[in-house]
Amino acid sequence: MSALVDTNISLSRWPFRRCPLDDTPALVAKLREHGFTQAWAGTFDGLLHKDLAAANARLAAECRAHAGLLVPFGSVNPQLPDWEEDLRRCAEVHQMPGLRLHPNYHGYRLDDPAFARLLALAAERGLVVQLAVSLEDDRTQHPLLRVPPVDTAPLLALVKSLPKLRLQLLNAFRTLRGEPLLRLAATERVWFELATLEGVGGLANLLAQIPATQILFGSHAPFFYFEAAALKLKESALTAAQLTAIRSGNAERLLPR
């Protein structure tokens, strides 16, 4: 069996409830139990904490403690003062290969000029950009913090204007489908992961729309169970080449070791 890379996990604690495996040693043990060779980690602290420099430093330290398995993706909020310094620290100080962005929690739209500048700076530095379209089903959100999914409509023009950009959408399939999905995939510079892919034969149906080369494995752990994502690889009829690509090959091309 090929290697297995999870491109969508988070460290620290979800702000509104405890999740199983929300301490790093337990999460790492589960990753190793399931045979993961690498996991791309953001931090739940990046959602609501104002001191993102400290949140990113903690993330980097935890990932260093499990070097070779955990890969840190830092948080940057272009609405905060001196956010460019946070981006610089992620790249230069912590040697992070990518960023994980949460526009809906940080209060900006994708047509904000600051977001376009953030993407441009990340592309110049060769950073992979992960954009979390959603994190939690609208129906289970805390009544005092309703956070709608990110409106991805402005992305197409941005992606076309930044040829060096490498963009992955996380938790996208609840709201992104049909023609908007196809247009983003057609740029061949946007990748997706399958944590929120639902329905029997969901992966096979997705592969009928976009190439296997743009789909990566993602679990959204510890918010979701690893087993739910793993089952999606088993219940759809995939060729050996498709399975290898989704399990690890595409991730290794997007983020070479």
Side-chain angles (χ1 to χ4, degrees):
M1 186 64 71
S2 62
L4 185 54
V5 177
D6 192 335
T7 64
N8 183 11
I9 72 163
S10 300
L11 305 188
S12 193
R13 292 181 178 174
W14 179 245
F16 307 105
R17 63 174 172 84
R18 293 296 304 270
C19 298
L21 309 177
D22 64 7
D23 65 281
T24 302
L27 186 59
V28 165
K30 178 63 74 169
L31 284 164
R32 296 195 187 282
E33 175 189 333
H34 284 274
F36 287 89
T37 51
Q38 192 179 81
W40 301 357
T43 174
F44 284 142
D45 292 351
L47 302 181
L48 303 178
H49 289 215
K50 289 187 176 180
D51 188 354
L52 290 185
N56 289 328
R58 290 192 298 272
L59 172 65
E62 286 198 88
C63 289
R64 280 196 304 272
H66 304 279
L69 179 64
L70 299 184
V71 179
F73 277 62
S75 297
V76 174
N77 180 356
Q79 298 296 99
L80 293 178
D82 207 20
W83 62 265
E84 293 95 337
E85 175 63 12
D86 285 330
L87 189 152
R88 186 196 69 80
R89 285 177 174 270
C90 286
E92 297 181 10
V93 177
H94 303 307
Q95 297 292 298
M96 294 176 175
L99 306 174
R100 185 171 297 179
L101 307 181
H102 300 284
N104 47 355
Y105 282 85
H106 291 165
Y108 62 91
R109 293 169 50 89
L110 302 193
D111 55 6
D112 189 317
F115 175 66
R117 174 164 166 73
L118 193 165
L119 291 185
L121 290 176
E124 287 175 13
R125 288 182 174 272
L127 298 173
V128 174
V129 176
Q130 294 184 320
L131 193 158
V133 176
S134 67
L135 289 178
E136 183 181 16
D137 191 307
D138 296 1
R139 296 167 294 183
T140 63
Q141 290 178 351
H142 192 286
L144 296 181
L145 191 64
R146 298 291 188 183
V147 184
V150 175
D151 178 4
T152 58
L155 269 182
L156 184 62
L158 287 168
V159 170
K160 288 182 176 179
S161 71
L162 296 167
K164 294 182 179 179
L165 178 66
R166 293 176 294 159
L167 176 67
Q168 184 188 15
L169 299 186
L170 307 182
N171 308 325
F173 291 124
R174 285 200 184 100
T175 57
L176 181 62
R177 53 178 70 94
E179 194 62 28
L181 170 63
L182 298 180
R183 288 176 179 172
L184 283 173
T187 67
E188 299 184 348
R189 295 201 303 277
V190 181
W191 289 261
F192 309 88
E193 55 80 43
L194 48 78
T196 54
L197 188 62
E198 297 177 348
V200 176
L203 185 51
N205 293 334
L206 181 64
L207 286 168
Q209 302 175 68
I210 65 177
T213 51
Q214 289 172 259
I215 304 170
L216 289 74
F217 183 91
S219 68
H220 192 21
F223 194 86
F224 288 172
Y225 292 108
F226 284 110
E227 292 79 3
L231 182 61
K232 295 169 188 176
L233 296 181
K234 297 177 180 178
E235 57 91 27
S236 291
L238 305 178
T239 67
Q242 288 173 329
L243 187 60
T244 297
I246 294 168
R247 283 174 59 92
S248 62
N250 297 333
E252 290 169 355
R253 282 188 288 273
L254 182 59
L255 187 63
R257 288 179 181 269

